[in-house]
Amino acid sequence: REAAREALLPPQALVAALPRIDASEVEAERFGHGQPIAREAFGAGAELALFGPGGRFLGVGVGQPDGSVAPLRLVAREDPGYP
């Protein structure tokens, strides 16, 4: 099992071709709760990889007509208290 786990790529490898947004702590919190964040550098419909502080992969967002980025797919947070 351990050898199989070591061979797995991290989830962010799947979004390497998408434009990257490095979100602030506040933006990361909003995005993680399903709320859009304000980013006007990308067009409507553009898919983007979002990363939080420390380079933690948050998920994929999609550009909205108003210039914001809404969550499309989120990555579950690791909870050290969860088995």
Side-chain angles (χ1 to χ4, degrees):
R1 274 189 191 221
E2 195 59 38
R5 285 182 190 221
E6 289 177 14
L8 293 174
L9 295 174
Q12 56 267 34
L14 298 171
V15 297
L18 295 178
R20 178 181 174 133
I21 290 179
D22 290 299
S24 69
E25 186 66 40
V26 171
E27 290 172 324
E29 188 72 23
R30 287 183 53 84
F31 190 81
H33 287 288
Q35 300 172 348
I37 61 172
R39 290 293 174 119
E40 298 194 26
F42 304 96
E47 291 186 359
L48 312 154
L50 273 89
F51 292 81
R56 185 173 61 88
F57 179 53
L58 302 173
V60 176
V62 63
Q64 300 299 298
D66 67 357
S68 65
V69 177
L72 182 62
R73 295 283 185 259
L74 297 173
V75 174
R77 287 181 156 177
E78 290 184 25
D79 183 351
Y82 191 76

